Amino acid sequence: MKQVEPIRNWPLTPSKTAVLVVDVQLSEYTDEVLAEAPEMATAMRDRMLPALTRLVDGARASGCEIIYTVIEALTADGRDRSLDHKLSDILVPRGSPLAKTLPEARQQEDDILIPKTSSGVFNSTNLSYLLRNMGLDRVIVAGLLTDQCVDMAVRDGADLGFYMICAKDACVTKTKARHDKALAAFGGYCQTEEVEDILQQLRAAE
């Protein structure tokens, strides 16, 4: 007897749905970072950030919870960071302006903001606990990088029993080739949709 129909077509009921915005913060949008990845810089400006703004504004208007995660240590010297972040020399100290979300991400005062010092937000924070406390079982993921922290969020969320959706035009990584390859690789763990299709589903469910 089937317990769940094996089709990824769950309705995006706003009261059960969260938008998870991953690492859309000032540390990822500095002149130095953008100069090292010009293809990503163009994609963020022309595609990803406008799509993210539409997603957050539309999902919030439909009644979804908006949750942000940013790279930020719990300490000034970063001694609490993951081994990987220490080895990779990634440090955004507690309280740094570089941990602030970009204006296009539309963070509001009462939104949940979760600092992390890892790739996988489900692995290293209490995100799963918070989602279950709020009765949220559908998670729309957007942000960067598609083939790193977004990928981890999709796969880990799926393993933990959440219905995962990737807003593909609201994600970005260093190159389009890497972006497309990542979507193809983790597409088996989630529903992959354009922002406009997601918003249509949310409006239809209101």
Side-chain angles (χ1 to χ4, degrees), residues 29-110:
Y29 206 58
T30 64
D31 291 342
E32 182 180 2
V33 169
L34 298 179
E36 291 177 354
E39 194 174 338
M40 183 176 79
T42 300
M44 284 187 77
R45 183 191 64 225
D46 296 345
R47 173 182 57 79
M48 179 261 178
L49 288 174
L52 178 67
T53 298
R54 293 195 302 276
L55 174 64
V56 171
D57 288 349
R60 193 188 302 279
S62 291
C64 296
E65 187 76 29
I66 313 296
I67 299 175
Y68 298 83
T69 185
V70 294
I71 299 169
E72 183 181 13
L74 299 177
T75 56
D77 64 3
R79 61 186 181 278
D80 60 291
R81 290 172 296 162
S82 66
L83 175 60
D84 177 64
H85 273 212
K86 290 173 182 171
L87 294 173
S88 302
D89 197 24
I90 298 172
L91 172 59
V92 178
R94 182 176 68 182
S96 168
L98 294 176
K100 301 294 185 185
T101 57
L102 296 180
E104 293 87 345
R106 293 283 208 264
Q107 183 188 350
Q108 295 188 1
E109 185 175 353
D110 196 39

Side-chain angles (χ1 to χ4, degrees), residues 21-37:
V21 181
V22 178
D23 300 347
V24 183
Q25 62 187 91
L26 290 174
S27 67
E28 306 303 301
Y29 206 58
T30 64
D31 291 342
E32 182 180 2
V33 169
L34 298 179
E36 291 177 354

